[in-house]
């Protein structure tokens, strides 16, 4: 049987209960404390909140609780100090808390509040904090936190000072009522369909992983010309990965939970069609995948989750696509339940930090030998499987194309098929001459009398 809390939820930005200073708890032996904590945990669960402060249930005490979920979401990192495990039942309890925020860096996150139902706004907070508090037995402990957890703790502490997010938010927005979604979800997914948009072997990686989860696709759209087959007024959810086309905004509004996109970069970095290629060409040491909700503007929607992938060796575009979409599938399946239940905080992208990639053209593969060897080597990896890095050579007075499939930056006294570049030497390891099969650089040198490249 589902237990219901007896506590009220206090709402309204001008409600005095939410605005007056709160009292320190001195008597931890009070018989009222344990039942209050239990009731607050029930209330938080019932309202699907991630944190709840005592004034929000009509008790003007310096006390708040935080759901365990906050410790495991959105890059939360933490360490407790003092006592090892202040866990009680399902939430963490903070009594008489004092917070130290750090001035840099700040982060913006879209926040809502159970006391301001139906609204959310962008709030700027410290990324990391340190908090000291007491548990329900009065034992003191410390906690250092980052990520979502740090934001939740700052939000709850504000409540104890009579501060609400409407005092500090930017661009407040009315949102749909999310309260009932939890119980409606099963029903919705039965009545309305999940549509998958994707058109490559990497998209299939995700499609396959979704099978056997509650989010298996009912309809697969692999080309823009199939968009017209979506005739229902309402679909539950769209999932888009590696889809070679734009989704018309008219269609977006027909998805109850929007269309979720798996994008192989750490957005807002590398928006657009060639993020993985640019990651390789720029020699980045960290790649990553972002799960966002599709917006009218390409790759600019709010972020549901991100995962980094350190590049400890050199990858080609197909290898990195494979890694990032596999990772993306796992992250997606992991977060979808809380997203659909309205419990996943979305984070707006920082437009100022946005960078863009463009569609790769065949000519991009044409090697400019004036470029440094290290850059040409990256392009050899980035431009696979298409357009591939290529050059031309003369053979029996005919100009032929030579695809460079594998290369490495070489030392001055190295052996093999060496080509001087604008800076440094490139050793060509594997090639495909026009009309022939792949061969090693040495085989090519033996078989062809190369006069020059151009
Ligand atoms: Ni709140």
């Amino acid at each position: 049987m589902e237990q219901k809390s007896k506590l009220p939820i206090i709402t309204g930005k001008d409600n005095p209960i939410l605005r007056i200073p709160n009292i320190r708890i001195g008597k931890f032996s009070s018989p009222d404390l344990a039942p209050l904590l239990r009731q607050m945990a029930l209330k938080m669960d019932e309202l699907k909140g991630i944190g709840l402060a005592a004034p929000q249930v009509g008790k003007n005490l310096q006390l708040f609780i935080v759901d365990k979920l906050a410790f495991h979401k959105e890059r939360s990192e933490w360490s407790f100090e003092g006592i090892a495990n202040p866990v009680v039942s399902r939430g963490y309890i903070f009594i008489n808390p004092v917070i130290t925020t750090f001035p840099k860096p700040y982060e913006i996150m879209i926040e809502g509040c159970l006391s301001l139902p139906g609204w959310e706004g962008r709030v700027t907070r410290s990324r990391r904090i340190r908090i000291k508090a007491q548990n329900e037995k009065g034992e003191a402990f410390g906690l250092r936190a980052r990520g979502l957890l740090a934001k939740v703790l700052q939000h709850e502490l504000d409540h104890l000072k009579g501060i609400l997010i409407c005092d500090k938010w930017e661009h407040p927005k009315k949102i749909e009522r999310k309260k009932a979604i939890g119980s409606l979800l099963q029903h919705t997914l039965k009545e309305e369909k999940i549509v998958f948009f994707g058109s490559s072997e990497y998209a299939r990686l995700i499609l396959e992983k979704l099978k056997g989860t509650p989010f298996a696709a009912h309809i697969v759209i692999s080309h823009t010309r199939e968009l017209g087959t979506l005739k229902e007024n309402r679909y539950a959810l769209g999932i888009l990965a590696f889809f070679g086309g734009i989704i018309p905004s008219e269609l977006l509004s027909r998805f109850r939970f929007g269309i979720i996109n798996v994008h192989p970069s750490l957005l807002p970095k590398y928006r657009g069609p060639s993020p993985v290629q640019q990651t390789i060409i720029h020699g980045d040491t960290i790649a990553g995948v972002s799960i966002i909700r599709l917006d009218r503007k390409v790759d600019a929607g709010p972020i549901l989750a991100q995962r980094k992938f350190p590049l400890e060796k050199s990858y080609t575009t197909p290898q990195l696509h494979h890694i990032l979409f596999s990772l993306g599938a796992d992250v997606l399946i992991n977060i979808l339940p809380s997203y659909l239940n309205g419990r996943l905080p979305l984070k707006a992208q920082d437009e100022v930090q946005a960078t863009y990639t463009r569609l790769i053209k065949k000519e991009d593969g044409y090697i400019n030998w004036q470029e440094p060897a290290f850059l040409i080597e990256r392009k050899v990896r980035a431009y696979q499987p298409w357009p591939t890095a290529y050059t031309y050579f003369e053979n029996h007075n005919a100009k032929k194309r030579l695809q460079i499939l594998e290369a490495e930056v070489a030392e001055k006294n190295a052996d093999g098929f060496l080509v001087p570049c604008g800076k440094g030497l490139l050793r060509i390891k594997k090639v495909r001459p026009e009309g022939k099969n792949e061969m090693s650089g040495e085989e090519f040198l033996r078989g062809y009398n190369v006069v020059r490249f151009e």
Side-chain angles (χ1 to χ4, degrees):
M1 196 182 76
E2 203 179 320
Q3 270 187 294
K4 280 226 158 197
S5 161
K6 298 180 196 83
L7 295 170
I9 181 82
I10 309 295
T11 61
K13 69 180 175 59
D14 299 317
N15 194 315
I17 298 174
L18 297 173
R19 295 305 204 168
I20 59 177
N22 295 283
I23 301 160
R24 271 185 72 85
I25 296 179
K27 268 180 65 187
F28 287 84
S29 55
S30 160
D32 302 333
L33 187 58
L36 173 63
L37 293 170
R38 207 164 38 241
Q39 290 293 320
M40 281 177 70
L42 275 176
K43 195 74 193 173
M44 180 169 71
D45 198 37
E46 186 187 312
L47 298 176
K48 312 225 178 291
I50 202 155
L52 186 67
Q56 294 182 277
V57 293
K59 307 282 178 193
N60 282 113
L61 298 169
Q62 288 190 20
L63 150 70
F64 64 76
I65 62 172
V66 170
D67 193 289
K68 280 179 192 165
L69 261 181
F71 284 70
H72 300 284
K73 292 288 171 196
E74 290 279 310
R75 294 168 295 137
S76 291
E77 285 172 31
W78 74 92
S79 62
F80 279 107
E81 299 162 335
I83 51 175
N85 192 12
V87 185
V88 171
S89 67
R90 49 168 292 113
Y92 288 80
I93 290 161
F94 296 82
I95 293 173
N96 303 329
V98 181
I99 237 174
T100 315
T101 55
F102 295 89
K104 268 188 199 167
Y106 291 114
E107 281 180 345
I108 296 172
M109 194 178 82
I110 295 177
E111 291 185 24
C113 178
L114 295 174
S115 291
L116 302 167
W119 288 88
E120 63 182 21
R122 291 160 62 105
V123 181
T124 304
R125 298 194 189 273
S126 298
R127 185 200 285 174
R128 52 194 188 99
I129 59 120
R130 188 171 177 214
I131 189 167
K132 289 179 178 176
Q134 286 164 281
N135 68 5
E136 85 289 2
K137 294 176 195 151
E139 295 164 327
F141 67 95
L143 170 66
R144 288 171 183 271
R146 280 171 179 264
L148 173 72
L149 177 61
K151 319 260 169 40
V152 172
L153 292 168
Q154 291 171 73
H155 176 121
E156 298 311 326
L157 198 92
D158 275 354
H159 274 301
L160 302 189
K161 296 184 197 157
I163 298 168
L164 296 173
I165 50 173
C166 58
D167 301 341
K168 35 174 84 171
W169 66 21
E170 288 172 63
H171 308 295
K173 233 177 45 190
K174 230 179 155 46
I175 48 170
E176 309 154 50
R177 237 168 75 94
K178 286 185 174 160
K179 204 170 140 184
I181 283 177
S183 51
L184 275 179
L185 188 60
Q186 289 274 325
H187 179 73
T188 302
L189 293 184
K190 214 181 280 176
E191 297 292 307
E192 299 171 354
K193 295 193 169 96
I194 295 179
V195 182
F196 185 87
F197 302 87
S199 44
S200 78
E201 58 183 297
Y202 310 112
R204 268 199 302 283
L205 276 175
I206 296 178
L207 190 61
E208 288 301 316
K209 281 205 176 179
L210 287 168
K211 283 181 186 165
T213 74
F215 319 111
H218 302 104
I219 301 168
V220 177
I221 302 285
S222 53
H223 197 278
T224 42
R225 64 173 171 258
E226 296 162 17
L227 290 173
T229 61
L230 297 173
K231 299 219 188 290
E232 310 278 338
N233 284 327
R234 200 49 121 162
Y235 293 93
L237 174 72
I239 296 167
L240 181 144
F242 219 111
F243 183 66
I246 304 279
I247 304 291
S249 51
E250 169 276 326
L251 190 61
L252 266 183
S253 59
R254 283 156 59 197
F255 286 79
R256 185 180 296 277
F257 296 103
I259 299 178
I260 303 305
N261 175 212
V262 181
H263 183 89
S265 81
L266 296 167
L267 288 169
K269 199 175 183 183
Y270 303 146
R271 291 176 176 174
S274 58
V276 166
Q277 289 88 337
Q278 293 310 322
T279 301
I280 294 170
I281 288 171
H282 287 153
D284 291 356
T285 53
I286 290 178
V289 63
S290 303
I291 315 284
I292 65 167
R293 191 172 65 200
L294 230 59
D295 213 331
R296 278 161 219 282
K297 197 174 161 212
V298 175
D299 297 335
I303 297 169
L304 281 65
Q306 285 185 316
R307 190 74 64 81
K308 286 181 185 165
F309 181 78
L311 297 174
E312 276 149 11
K313 66 181 202 75
S314 300
Y315 290 101
T316 62
T317 289
Q319 289 168 334
L320 200 47
H321 269 141
H322 191 99
I323 291 167
L324 294 177
F325 280 99
S326 306
L327 188 64
D330 292 335
V331 177
L332 179 71
I333 290 166
N334 210 10
I335 59 150
L336 271 179
S338 48
Y339 171 70
L340 295 173
N341 281 310
R343 298 188 70 163
L344 187 72
L346 305 191
K347 191 180 149 211
Q349 291 188 36
D350 184 352
E351 285 298 317
V352 177
Q353 301 294 324
T355 61
Y356 296 86
T357 65
R358 58 173 178 78
L359 206 61
I360 289 175
K361 298 190 295 261
K362 192 181 171 199
E363 308 84 84
D364 291 321
Y366 182 36
I367 296 171
N368 171 2
W369 293 103
Q370 295 311 308
E371 287 180 342
F374 74 82
L375 184 59
I376 298 174
E377 185 277 330
R378 289 177 190 168
K379 288 184 174 180
V380 167
R381 286 185 282 122
Y383 292 145
Q384 290 180 35
W386 189 91
T388 73
Y390 62 89
T391 188
Y392 291 99
F393 67 101
E394 285 181 13
N395 187 238
H396 301 301
N397 288 329
K399 189 170 149 181
K400 294 254 170 80
R401 205 162 92 109
L402 181 70
Q403 292 180 313
I404 313 288
L405 303 177
E406 217 183 306
E408 67 184 11
V409 176
E411 300 296 328
K412 262 199 179 115
N413 45 8
D415 293 330
F417 183 0
L418 298 177
V419 184
C421 307
K423 189 179 170 213
L425 281 174
L426 199 68
R427 187 164 90 89
I428 312 291
K429 294 167 77 177
K430 200 190 278 178
V431 295
R432 188 190 296 123
E434 195 173 324
K436 303 284 177 184
N437 292 326
E438 282 182 22
M439 58 182 74
S440 73
E442 286 80 1
E443 282 173 305
F444 174 75
L445 275 189
R446 282 195 296 272
Y448 291 79
N449 181 22
V450 178
V451 179
R452 64 185 176 96
F453 284 140
E454 53 182 60

